[in-house]
Amino acid sequence: METNPNGDPAPDVPEGDYTEAGVPNFDYVRDRIERRIATADGATELAEGTPEAASLDEQLAERDRAARERLEQIRRSMGN
């Protein structure tokens, strides 16, 4: 029989996804998190392949270019 650090017998851990007290075990929680990450990654991949995503990427690139130009213009006007 296993014992915990203070010498008392360790409680039996029930098989399955939850303890007798209704608490999910580590493996169950890890599996749920991994499934959610995989689902989110898949949704992101699918969304990136749409024409809307390409349009947004182009808009962001144009905004970044305009911001860099404006910053350079401000720097020139300040004499830097």
Side-chain angles (χ1 to χ4, degrees), residues 13-34:
V13 177
E15 295 293 324
D17 295 333
Y18 288 86
T19 66
E20 290 176 3
V23 178
N25 66 30
F26 178 77
D27 290 333
Y28 177 76
V29 173
R30 185 189 62 229
D31 289 344
R32 293 226 18 200
I33 291 170
E34 288 175 352

